[in-house]
Amino acid sequence: MNPMNHSKTLFVLLAFAGLALYPLMAGNYGIDLVTKMMVYAIFALSLELLVGTTGLICFGQAAFFGIGAYAAVLLPAQTDAPSLLWLLPACVLAAAVYALAVGALSLRTKGAYFIMVTLAFAQMAYYVVHDTPLGGGTDGIYLTLKPVLGTLIDLDKPLVLYGFTLLMLAGVFGFLALLARSRFGRALAGIRVNEQRMRATGFSTYPYKLAAFVISGGIAGLAGFLFAVKDGFVNPEMMSWHLSGAVLIMIILGGLGHLRGALIGAFAFALLQEFFKSEAVFGDFARHWHLGLGLSIIASVVLLPRGLVGLPGQLRARLVGRSNLQGARHEAV
């Protein structure tokens, strides 16, 4: 195995091992916070498939996230706890079906037009739940009974939800890693680099892009389902363009083109959010946490053009350059 690939694999394994052991030393607040981070990481991975792998900048990813969340609340009956076996696939399917409809139309456009069309579809979904009784309007809807799987899995228990979310995160990460190494994944990478050349070699790029769009929407729906179960509440803000922008920032912050970058970016974004919201650290200025978060992101983009995932390589390059410079000076002397 290539030493670089070995270090990447080791990093991923250590990260998941750390997440698995974290509940042993954390309290309820820490478990809830890291559960939210893992949900964000799944959401970021869904967009990484489009932006980092396929080169499609989607600004409507929150629509699929919100549909998965609303489906978790609206589909089950309110008398008995729903079974995880049917509710989870149903939520993923609902988001994937909407992604199929959106992708079938929006992928006929390119560039800024594609971005605007995906944003328009997301805003349509937002106003459906915002302005109609279907989604409870601006007040949102509470999830009274959380999904269960017999007596084995009860997602109303924080530790069980944490473990289940970690399992889903590992599954999505592994699935996308395998997908990237497959013929389908290599075709998506080719589309990102040069779509016209891919067409010239005989690839019909539209079905590949549509399939990636649907898979991405389904994964975002999974993240929405987990978020709804964690909070026990959904509201229209889960479909707002602000959330689509936030998840795009996550993958840029972590480093585009890397699954590890989506993980790192999601955790870094959530940690920065919590840090600047802390009244113990910033006092009254914590009310303006968006300012601190924005400045941090600007600084990271300027100083780390390849994202946080590229930081070790950047430091290595500087150290090697410095040692070479010192060696040249020594020889000159």
Side-chain angles (χ1 to χ4, degrees):
M1 182 183 287
N2 188 304
M4 187 64 70
N5 290 337
H6 180 74
S7 63
K8 293 175 182 177
T9 304
L10 182 61
F11 170 81
V12 172
L13 291 175
L14 288 175
F16 279 106
L19 288 172
L21 295 173
Y22 178 75
L24 299 176
M25 61 191 79
N28 291 335
Y29 173 77
I31 289 172
D32 182 75
L33 176 61
V34 177
T35 302
K36 181 178 79 170
M37 291 178 181
M38 290 192 291
V39 173
Y40 278 160
I42 295 172
F43 191 23
L45 284 169
S46 75
L47 188 60
E48 172 61 29
L49 175 62
L50 285 183
V51 181
T53 302
T54 318
L56 298 171
I57 302 175
C58 174
F59 210 66
Q61 200 72 1
F64 314 128
F65 181 83
I67 286 171
Y70 269 89
V73 179
L74 294 174
L75 289 179
Q78 300 300 315
T79 53
D80 298 307
S83 171
L84 190 63
L85 282 178
W86 72 264
L87 184 58
L88 175 57
C91 294
V92 172
L93 181 62
V97 167
Y98 189 66
L100 177 62
V102 174
L105 296 173
S106 61
L107 287 170
R108 300 186 183 279
T109 62
K110 292 183 179 180
Y113 298 102
F114 174 78
I115 297 172
M116 296 308 296
V117 170
T118 57
L119 175 60
F121 274 108
Q123 289 300 101
M124 287 168 56
Y126 170 81
Y127 283 111
V128 166
V129 297
H130 186 275
D131 295 344
T132 66
L134 174 67
T138 56
D139 293 334
I141 313 173
Y142 284 94
L143 177 63
T144 54
L145 296 170
K146 297 189 178 181
V148 296
L149 183 58
T151 57
L152 183 64
I153 298 177
D154 183 358
L155 296 185
D156 198 25
K157 299 176 180 177
L159 273 176
V160 175
L161 178 60
Y162 180 96
F164 185 76
T165 305
L166 176 58
L167 183 64
M168 292 296 101
L169 175 59
V172 168
F173 188 93
F175 169 72
L176 292 179
L178 290 174
L179 194 71
R181 289 171 173 78
S182 68
R183 183 178 182 272
F184 177 76
R186 290 194 292 271
L188 294 181
I191 291 170
R192 184 190 74 244
V193 174
N194 193 324
E195 186 175 354
Q196 288 184 344
R197 183 172 294 178
M198 290 294 290
R199 287 176 179 169
T201 57
F203 279 88
S204 179
T205 58
Y206 179 81
Y208 282 92
K209 293 192 293 183
L210 182 59
F213 202 90
V214 173
I215 294 170
S216 173
I219 295 172
L222 169 62
F225 166 84
L226 292 169
F227 200 88
V229 172
K230 185 189 80 69
D231 279 3
F233 175 74
V234 294
N235 65 12
E237 294 307 309
M238 298 181 74
M239 292 188 180
S240 70
W241 65 268
H242 302 88
L243 187 57
S244 293
V247 72
L248 188 59
I249 289 171
M250 290 177 201
I251 61 174
I252 294 172
L253 181 63
L256 285 175
H258 305 276
L259 295 180
R260 292 171 294 118
L263 291 181
I264 295 169
F267 276 77
F269 183 87
L271 286 172
L272 285 171
Q273 231 179 13
E274 291 298 315
F275 176 69
F276 287 110
K277 281 182 178 180
S278 173
E279 293 185 359
V281 178
F282 294 99
D284 291 339
F285 185 75
R287 291 178 297 174
H288 310 290
W289 62 272
H290 291 90
L291 177 61
L293 179 64
L295 291 173
S296 299
I297 291 168
I298 291 170
S300 69
V301 170
V302 171
L303 299 174
L304 302 169
R306 289 182 294 174
L308 292 171
V309 77
L311 179 59
Q314 195 170 328
L315 291 175
R316 257 195 320 270
R318 288 186 178 181
L319 289 173
V320 170
R322 186 176 298 174
S323 63
N324 289 341
L325 180 62
Q326 289 175 348
R329 286 177 178 173
H330 181 72
E331 289 178 3
V333 172

